[in-house]
Amino acid sequence: MTTKNLLVELFVEELPPKALKKLGDAFATVLADQLKAQGLAPADAQVSAFASPRRLAAHIEGVKALGADEELIQKLLPTSVGLKDGQLTDALRKRLAKEGRAHLADLWPNAKDGPDELFVQGEGKNEAFYLRGLAKGVSLHVGLQNALDEAIAKLPIPKVMSYQLETDCELPGWSSVNFVRPAHGLVALHGSSVVPVKALGLTSGHSTQGHRFEAAVSPVVLRDADSYADTLAKYGAVIASFSERKAEIARQLAAAAAKVGGGCRPIEDDALLDEVTALVERPNVLVCAFEPQFLDVPQECLILTMKANQKYFPLLDAQGKLTNQFLVVSNIRPADASAVVGGNERVVRPRLADAKFFFDQDRKKTLASRVEGLGKVVYHNKLGTQGERTERVRAIARAIGQALGGDVLAKSADTAAQLAKTDLLTDMVGEFPELQGIMGGYYARHDGLTEDIAFAIEDHYRPRFAGDELPRNTTGVVVALADKLETLVGMFGIGNLPTGDKDPFALRRHALGVVRMLVEGQLALQFHELTRQAFAAFPAGVLQDRSVELDEFLIERLKGYLRETGFSGAEVDAAIYARQLGLWSSIPQRLAAVRAFAALPEAPALAAANKRIGNILKKSEGDVAATVNEGALVEPAEQALFAAMQATVPAANARFDAGDYTASLQALAALRAPVDAFFDGVMVNADDPALKANRLGLLQQLHEAMNRVADLSRLAT
């Protein structure tokens, strides 16, 4: 059966830009999947999605006009219901008539007529009548109608519009349609033939509309499915493919920046590029400028207002500093673009003036003078105001600072924590919440505070997301750690725990930030002590004691973080559950040691032995003391193991104490042979209680020595 390529397009009013790419991909994917499911398109059919501000389209290769016939086998009734005294019952005859196969009842027991057949299959209670038949292949116009209905129904529409179409009936009236935006055209071409389908009150045809202002013709008539993109580009002035349009915009941005010279480059922002791609059908990048005096405002403010409000691409110089020029992606290509350039420059000027006004006004008050105002801002109805929260963060920061750097660090951390949230009361952050912390750093410098404090205020939200940088100085790390711990402890303490995919307070992100600062920052802090200090910062009776749950939550985030760095689950568990884990800052070195140990030929046997020792010790009555009476060792194998331990364990411990975890574990590899011999020749649970206790003490010593770096039993398969 010959196949042709299929093109389906919905022509609509301007679609929501932030959802356009997802809408285009979903439309093409569901449409193709439905055609494949009906046997109209091959499983490996090449599918091309098109999405522009005013259209969603899909091009699917190798589509059949008629699907292949398929053999169907349908279970009808159990033989206990359909057969009585060797005759077919009325119940079975009625069922056959319902399926349009009544004539097969008259042919029983040889009920076969061409592809149709009535037969019995199964045994005992499972024995039943089955009907074999041939299902005719679905025609393309039926199959495409089903696929189109499904594709429209499954579109990830952020917000549905309800609009009305005038009916074609004699009586005047309206019919209501629900879709993301009003639709005005439908194209369905199989090769060069129109496939008769309907959707959203529209009937398919072979013509569409091009660019709203610059199309050469209207309507744009499509010759066939394969000429869709080229015809739209040539006569409609539209680049229909989202990816091609995005690539063209990126090319023009780079070319325009190069033309400006001086090593200038447009700011990199893939989300902004996607949004602009969804706003234009015929991109044209233009260079614009604003007055240089606006550069006195922090560049983060100017960049944000240009990106968020105007969808412009600010130009940075070779050093990454903002210039007074920016790039606009226009949707038209006039011969003289001066009016477009002038209009955009005129529009951006009030935005920049507002930013300058906010900046000037904010600097009239110091950050310290705003501290009192935090007491009037509600943080959470169960946790008090931002002022109360600030005091808790200060207490935690002082404790951490004292542990890491004594009085000096504790004092600087306290100052930074006191001022960290004050920029929330500024006009600039009120207008642009994304600048919280950043503006605090600028205002701190203006107030004459040290760079150490300014950086700490600016960085205390870091890391804001996975892969973000950590705070730049120790004071910043202390305040960031205190801020995140206060959030975690407070939310856990009032029962606001994350559930499933719901995490409204971003507690997983905060926990990951704590993990990264402890591990990557090589901080000499016990995480159990940190959570204890954070709980102590809250007044009595405010929180429930959920310290155990919080510790488990942090450990799970630690495990996930380490697995993402390339270590296996077994390696991570071995390092985390070491007998003497101590500081999380040592975990990377422990993991490296575990991986090196696991590569040794002795590793599997020692890991299995470690697991066996652990099980023996768990089953023993009471705590086992790690003491051995050498004179009570009677079997040669236990004497040999004790001697090997005396020769090996001190060296392994010395390397452990020196922080050389890899060498410590590798030193223990020499114990494999004596350990194997011990279990082959010694009965641990001897009848003599003294003998048994001595052997358990020997195993306890061995177990402690083997698990200082990592819990090696976790490596046992």
Side-chain angles (χ1 to χ4, degrees):
M1 183 180 294
T2 58
T3 62
K4 297 178 182 177
N5 297 338
L6 177 72
L7 184 282
V8 179
E9 183 207 65
L10 268 175
F11 179 73
V12 297
E13 293 183 14
E14 279 74 4
L15 292 161
K18 292 185 178 180
L20 179 63
K21 188 176 187 301
K22 188 182 293 185
L23 289 170
D25 291 342
F27 181 74
T29 299
V30 176
L31 193 71
D33 288 347
Q34 291 296 313
L35 292 175
K36 293 173 184 177
Q38 297 175 87
L40 291 168
D44 59 349
Q46 184 69 33
V47 181
S48 301
F50 298 93
S52 81
R54 299 203 297 160
R55 71 200 74 240
L56 300 174
H59 181 273
I60 306 166
E61 297 183 0
V63 177
K64 302 174 184 176
L66 182 65
D69 297 342
E70 289 186 8
E71 182 184 72
L72 293 180
I73 297 179
Q74 181 181 1
K75 183 179 180 180
L76 299 179
L77 294 172
T79 53
S80 59
V81 177
L83 191 66
K84 187 175 183 180
D85 299 329
Q87 300 296 318
L88 302 185
T89 64
D90 289 342
L92 181 59
R93 289 177 180 275
K94 289 179 181 179
R95 183 63 186 273
L96 286 170
K98 182 181 178 181
E99 300 296 334
R101 305 290 195 280
H103 65 286
L104 292 177
D106 299 328
L107 301 177
W108 180 261
N110 298 313
K112 182 174 174 59
D113 181 23
D116 298 335
E117 181 182 8
L118 178 68
F119 63 98
V120 174
Q121 185 173 295
E123 296 180 359
K125 294 181 179 180
N126 295 324
E127 189 179 62
F129 281 100
Y130 288 83
L131 176 63
R132 178 184 287 113
L134 195 64
K136 292 291 185 181
V138 65
S139 63
L140 179 58
H141 79 274
V142 173
L144 181 57
Q145 185 67 65
N146 295 334
L148 185 57
D149 292 343
E150 192 73 9
I152 292 173
K154 289 188 174 180
L155 279 177
I157 298 174
K159 191 174 183 180
V160 175
M161 281 186 65
S162 181
Y163 61 97
Q164 294 176 322
L165 297 173
E166 190 170 3
T167 61
D168 295 329
C169 61
E170 295 180 0
L171 296 175
W174 300 87
S175 60
S176 181
V177 177
N178 296 318
F179 194 52
V180 58
R181 291 291 185 270
H184 297 292
L186 175 63
V187 174
L189 290 176
H190 187 227
S192 58
S193 303
V194 175
V195 183
V197 292
K198 294 184 177 182
L200 305 174
L202 304 168
T203 301
S204 59
H206 58 74
S207 63
T208 184
Q209 296 293 329
H211 193 283
R212 189 180 289 277
F213 307 112
E214 299 192 347
V217 295
S218 179
V220 177
V221 178
L222 303 172
R223 185 180 70 252
D224 54 41
D226 292 343
S227 64
Y228 174 71
D230 291 341
T231 302
L232 266 180
K234 184 175 181 181
Y235 298 105
V238 170
I239 302 175
S241 167
F242 188 95
S243 58
E244 290 180 13
R245 204 163 58 254
K246 181 177 179 179
E248 173 62 16
I249 293 173
R251 184 195 66 77
Q252 289 191 34
L253 288 171
K259 189 175 180 180
V260 170
C264 285
R265 57 180 175 83
I267 195 164
E268 295 181 8
D269 189 326
D270 199 59
L272 176 62
L273 183 56
D274 277 345
E275 189 173 0
V276 170
T277 302
L279 287 168
V280 299
E281 291 191 312
R282 193 187 194 195
N284 180 32
V285 173
L286 303 171
V287 181
C288 304
F290 57 83
E291 288 77 1
Q293 62 262 31
F294 287 122
L295 293 176
D296 294 337
V297 179
Q299 69 176 40
E300 292 89 347
C301 308
L302 304 181
I303 289 171
L304 185 58
T305 191
M306 284 192 281
K307 285 168 48 179
N309 295 322
Q310 303 303 133
K311 315 306 175 189
Y312 296 158
F313 288 84
L315 276 176
L316 307 179
D317 64 18
Q319 287 73 44
K321 296 293 184 181
L322 181 67
T323 70
N324 71 315
Q325 292 180 293
F326 58 94
L327 303 180
V328 174
V329 183
S330 173
N331 194 33
I332 55 176
R333 298 182 182 179
D336 180 5
S338 59
V340 179
V341 171
N344 281 281
E345 291 177 345
R346 189 166 56 253
V347 167
V348 79
R349 194 172 295 118
R351 296 285 188 181
L352 302 183
D354 286 347
K356 187 176 188 304
F357 174 78
F358 293 146
F359 185 57
D360 292 340
Q361 289 298 111
D362 287 342
R363 289 183 296 172
K364 292 178 180 179
K365 291 181 65 176
T366 65
L367 292 181
S369 69
R370 298 178 187 271
V371 172
E372 185 179 350
L374 291 174
K376 301 175 183 178
V377 179
V378 175
Y379 168 57
H380 190 282
N381 62 348
K382 294 182 179 180
L383 297 174
T385 66
Q386 281 286 4
E388 292 170 315
R389 179 170 187 258
T390 294
E391 291 305 309
R392 295 193 293 267
V393 173
R394 289 179 68 186
I396 301 169
R398 285 195 299 268
I400 297 173
Q402 191 69 41
L404 290 178
D407 293 341
V408 174
L409 182 56
K411 183 178 180 180
S412 64
D414 180 50
T415 301
Q418 182 185 33
L419 302 176
K421 302 298 181 185
T422 53
D423 68 351
L424 297 176
L425 302 179
T426 63
D427 292 338
M428 186 71 81
V429 174
E431 181 71 15
F432 300 110
E434 301 93 332
L435 296 177
Q436 56 187 301
I438 295 172
M439 294 313 302
Y442 279 106
Y443 297 144
R445 294 182 185 92
H446 179 265
D447 293 348
L449 297 171
T450 64
E451 279 293 304
D452 186 62
I453 299 295
F455 278 136
I457 294 173
E458 183 176 343
D459 293 351
H460 83 277
Y461 290 103
R462 292 184 179 180
R464 296 171 184 255
F465 50 85
D468 191 19
E469 295 179 354
L470 298 182
R472 284 166 285 187
N473 60 25
T474 306
T475 304
V477 169
V478 171
V479 178
L481 199 54
D483 184 66
K484 288 172 173 54
L485 285 169
E486 193 279 340
T487 300
L488 288 164
V489 167
M491 290 304 166
F492 265 72
I494 61 174
N496 283 340
L497 281 65
T499 56
D501 60 347
K502 294 181 179 179
D503 187 9
F505 298 97
L507 300 186
R508 294 188 180 95
R509 188 185 70 203
H510 282 84
L512 180 59
V514 171
V515 167
R516 287 189 57 201
M517 283 186 279
L518 289 177
V519 176
E520 296 176 24
Q522 295 286 293
L523 300 184
L525 297 169
Q526 293 275 2
F527 98 97
H528 291 293
E529 180 64 15
L530 285 175
T531 56
R532 187 197 64 76
Q533 290 170 344
F535 271 103
F538 286 79
V542 174
L543 305 180
Q544 302 175 42
D545 184 4
R546 296 182 181 271
S547 55
V548 174
E549 292 171 86
L550 178 56
D551 287 353
E552 291 175 352
F553 182 73
L554 286 166
I555 289 172
E556 285 304 312
R557 301 282 78 72
L558 173 65
K559 288 181 181 180
Y561 163 75
L562 295 173
R563 285 195 294 268
E564 288 180 1
T565 60
F567 292 98
S568 69
E571 291 171 335
V572 169
D573 285 348
I576 288 178
Y577 294 108
R579 190 176 65 85
Q580 293 183 348
L581 174 57
L583 306 177
W584 281 11
S585 57
S586 69
I587 288 178
Q589 292 78 22
R590 291 173 184 267
L591 281 169
V594 168
R595 177 161 288 182
F597 174 79
L600 298 175
E602 298 88 353
L606 283 174
N610 191 299
K611 186 174 183 179
R612 184 176 179 182
I613 294 169
N615 291 334
I616 291 172
L617 294 173
K618 284 179 184 178
K619 293 177 182 178
S620 63
E621 297 178 1
D623 295 332
V624 177
T627 57
V628 179
N629 180 359
E630 184 178 1
L633 299 172
V634 296
E635 296 291 343
E638 60 183 332
Q639 295 170 349
L641 176 58
F642 181 76
M645 289 171 59
Q646 294 298 104
T648 303
V649 172
N653 287 342
R655 292 185 175 99
F656 176 88
D657 294 337
D660 191 349
Y661 300 130
T662 300
S664 178
L665 277 182
Q666 289 177 340
L668 296 174
L671 294 175
R672 177 190 173 177
V675 168
D676 288 346
F678 176 87
F679 282 115
D680 287 341
V682 177
M683 174 65 71
V684 176
N685 294 318
D687 294 333
D688 183 347
L691 194 59
K692 176 182 176 181
N694 201 48
R695 289 171 179 172
L696 288 174
L698 179 64
L699 291 182
Q700 182 68 35
Q701 276 193 6
L702 177 60
H703 195 252
E704 291 179 1
M706 293 178 73
N707 291 317
R708 292 192 75 188
V709 174
D711 183 354
L712 299 183
S713 67
R714 306 276 177 166
L715 302 177
T717 55

